[in-house]
Amino acid sequence: MESVATALHRLGELAESRHISRLARSFAAAGHELALVGGPVRDAFLGRPVNDFDFTTSATPDEILAIVAPIADAHWDIGRAFGTIGARFGGDTVEITTYRTDAYDGETRKPVVEFGDSLEGDLVRRDFTVNAMALRLPELVLVDPSGGMDDLLARRLTTPGTPEVSFGDDPLRMMRAARFTSQLGFTVDDGTRAAMTALADRLPIVSVERMSDELSKLLLTDDPVPGLRLLVDTGLAQIVLPELPALRLEVDEHAHHKDVYEHSLTVLTQAIDLEKARPGIESPDLTLRIAALLHDIGKPQTRRIEGGGVVTFHHHDVVGAKLAAKRLKQLRFDKETIAAVAKLIELHLRFFGYSEGVWTDSAVRRYVRDAGDQLERLHILTRADVTTRNVRKADRLSFAYDDLEERIAAIAEAEGIAAVRPDLDGEQIMALLGLKPGPEVGAAYRYLLEVRLDEGPLGPDVAEERLRAWWAARSTGE
């Protein structure tokens, strides 16, 4: 936590270096107030990087445009109906919004946009006190009407007014509290937490897209687990991601299995650690993190207690893949992400057969073929899925996966396994067999692919010989 003087000095330096001082002088010359507001001010005091620049002003949208247009490199008014004008100065993008005092009808999240007449009035309508501080420009005077500085020092999240009113106005703020818990490492105060629990059933008035976006932002933080726990404990996860609290299966003292909920959070944490450490994958990786969190969501539906109190979850990988795809579709995730997450969940158990006996080269090729472009993520998810406290078992699994990766690399170097294709393509198959495009070409292609997976590269001459023999046998019904 920076001192007030240090943070103000840092903000002052940013103002000079980021073209902000010119903007502030232009507003002052036109007789209007301007203040840097919210996240940038908060982050300056926390010693975090300041990248976004949001301003609030006494000027109307038309007046903002008149001031900004002559001095900005570019400007746009897509948010004009809500009082927001965007502009670009050098490499910095800024948003400038007229003071607001929005009113809500209590039935939807859509506010009746009303412009305000004071900075203090604008600040008290914001989500949390730590985001309700502003820096008047060009004077560099801190404005903190709701005690945000005290809450920053206490690393505490609370609302400027009563949380019941704040969350009633915009229920998404409850999910935002979970995100800030992870992003900032803060704790939600008791009253605010109680209001989140009491008002959780208000969340559905928020659009699915906004809930999905907030969930994604939470998962992309350095440590999403505290925020996810808050969503589950307050009942919010039951609305936005019910498969997560469903993992809290009752643990019978006579039925032996891991706590699936805690295991899933641990896998997520371990996947993030591996994601950051391994080359060849961008961090943060939302697809990987969703797959890690949801990889076992098929377990509640497949849970069976066998003889001797042994708990089984047969086919939870397949069931979980379907459940994840359904939920992500409902949350409006894109098709590419949905397909990737489903594939990772469906394949996440495949490796454990390798640890029980050495795979043939054919099995290794099929593992790579089935993973496709998700292979690197599958490596991480599979390693992260080992949460046993038995050091010997954990080491054995780790060494086995090291061996599998080394074999994949060796076969890839020798055979080009990264893109497993038959030795003959569709055009060549049609030419050799005198076929037109259709199902028979697909069948021939799949036959050659199976041969390629079983035996490795054959070369075009041998592949042609095998194809003709297969076609002859197929034609005679042998």
Side-chain angles (χ1 to χ4, degrees):
M1 178 78 183
E2 304 280 5
S3 69
V4 173
T6 300
L8 289 177
H9 178 71
R10 183 178 175 210
L11 286 169
E13 288 184 330
L14 283 171
E16 286 297 329
S17 64
R18 299 292 189 94
H19 316 285
I20 294 172
S21 60
R22 183 184 181 193
L23 185 68
R25 289 193 298 269
S26 297
F27 272 81
H32 296 293
E33 298 176 0
L34 183 72
L36 185 65
V37 68
V41 180
R42 176 200 70 211
D43 289 342
F45 283 99
L46 292 175
R48 293 166 54 88
V50 177
N51 297 313
D52 298 323
F53 293 92
D54 296 326
F55 299 90
T56 188
T57 179
S58 59
T60 65
D62 287 344
E63 291 168 335
I64 296 172
L65 271 174
I67 296 169
V68 166
I71 61 174
D73 296 319
H75 65 277
W76 50 93
D77 62 355
I78 192 170
R80 188 170 185 162
F82 298 95
T84 300
I85 303 298
R88 187 172 66 249
F89 295 85
D92 296 317
T93 298
V94 305
E95 288 191 347
I96 308 167
T97 303
T98 305
Y99 295 154
R100 283 169 53 173
T101 55
D102 296 341
Y104 296 82
D105 60 15
E107 298 298 326
T108 69
R109 162 61 192 103
K110 295 180 180 179
V112 177
V113 178
E114 296 181 359
F115 296 142
D117 57 9
S118 73
L119 175 58
E120 289 77 5
D122 179 274
L123 292 175
V124 297
R125 55 166 282 278
R126 293 176 180 265
D127 54 3
F128 301 104
T129 60
V130 296
N131 295 331
M133 298 184 294
L135 187 71
R136 285 191 186 275
L137 300 171
E139 305 97 315
L140 298 182
V141 173
L142 182 68
V143 181
D144 178 18
S146 303
M149 184 58 63
D150 291 338
D151 289 332
L152 271 183
L153 290 169
R155 306 189 72 80
R156 176 176 59 224
L157 278 178
T158 188
T159 56
T162 64
E164 290 79 8
V165 171
S166 180
F167 297 155
D169 284 347
D170 183 1
L172 189 70
R173 290 172 174 173
M174 296 185 286
M175 287 191 69
R176 221 175 279 152
R179 192 232 305 175
F180 287 133
T181 296
S182 284
Q183 183 177 314
L184 304 176
F186 283 14
T187 301
V188 175
D189 84 321
D190 292 342
T192 304
R193 187 186 184 98
M196 291 171 67
T197 303
L199 296 174
D201 61 359
R202 295 280 295 158
L203 188 60
I205 74 169
V206 176
S207 72
V208 171
E209 289 81 3
R210 294 182 72 222
M211 286 191 283
S212 178
D213 182 60
E214 197 58 51
L215 178 64
S216 296
K217 288 178 180 177
L218 167 58
L219 288 172
L220 290 171
T221 62
D222 279 346
D223 182 13
V225 169
L228 291 169
R229 289 190 186 280
L230 184 60
L231 289 180
V232 171
D233 294 344
T234 56
L236 290 164
Q238 187 61 44
I239 295 166
V240 67
L241 194 65
E243 292 79 8
L244 183 57
L247 293 174
R248 295 189 297 182
L249 300 175
E250 181 179 352
V251 180
D252 189 318
E253 61 179 331
H254 302 296
H256 312 296
H257 69 87
K258 293 178 181 177
D259 183 324
V260 183
Y261 173 66
E262 292 297 333
H263 165 74
S264 297
L265 295 180
T266 300
V267 171
L268 173 60
T269 298
Q270 293 185 167
I272 291 172
D273 289 342
L274 289 169
E275 167 202 288
K276 293 175 180 178
R278 283 179 68 105
I281 190 165
E282 272 190 46
S283 180
D285 187 311
L286 181 61
T287 298
L288 172 64
R289 295 181 182 201
I290 294 173
L293 180 64
L294 303 184
H295 77 285
D296 274 347
I297 61 171
K299 282 190 171 180
Q301 284 194 17
T302 58
R303 182 174 184 258
R304 301 288 184 273
I305 300 179
E306 311 290 350
V310 175
V311 180
T312 63
F313 304 98
H314 295 308
H315 307 301
H316 77 268
D317 46 351
V318 177
V319 172
K322 293 178 180 178
L323 290 174
K326 181 179 180 181
R327 176 57 55 194
L328 295 179
K329 184 177 181 180
Q330 290 173 344
L331 287 172
R332 308 286 200 275
F333 277 87
D334 61 273
K335 292 181 180 179
E336 183 179 338
T337 299
I338 295 171
V341 170
K343 177 181 285 189
L344 289 166
I345 293 175
E346 186 172 354
L347 294 177
H348 82 275
L349 291 180
R350 181 79 65 88
F351 157 73
F352 293 97
Y354 185 91
S355 65
E356 296 166 3
V358 177
W359 283 357
T360 62
D361 284 353
S362 173
V364 175
R365 294 188 195 101
R366 291 173 189 278
Y367 186 77
V368 175
R369 187 274 307 269
D370 291 346
D373 59 1
Q374 300 306 312
L375 182 60
E376 185 61 28
R377 286 178 173 138
L378 185 59
H379 288 333
I380 293 176
L381 176 58
T382 303
R383 288 180 180 275
D385 197 23
V386 178
T387 61
T388 179
R389 295 181 181 178
N390 184 322
V391 176
R392 182 175 295 178
K393 181 179 179 181
D395 286 345
R396 177 173 60 81
L397 289 170
S398 179
F399 293 148
Y401 208 90
D402 288 344
D403 182 66
L404 175 57
E405 287 203 63
E406 288 171 4
R407 288 186 64 194
I408 289 172
I411 295 174
E413 183 176 358
E415 303 178 4
I417 194 176
V420 180
R421 297 185 181 90
D423 294 271
L424 302 174
D425 62 23
E427 294 291 335
Q428 291 169 311
I429 290 171
M430 289 189 287
L432 288 169
L433 301 182
L435 298 174
K436 294 181 179 180
E440 290 178 323
V441 179
Y445 186 93
R446 288 190 294 273
Y447 165 73
L448 287 177
L449 178 59
E450 289 299 315
V451 173
R452 169 75 170 80
L453 289 167
D454 285 338
E455 303 177 27
L458 302 176
D461 293 339
V462 175
E464 178 181 343
E465 181 181 335
R466 297 285 289 275
L467 176 63
R468 290 188 183 281
W470 171 83
W471 182 250
R474 177 187 172 94
S475 300
T476 59
E478 294 181 6

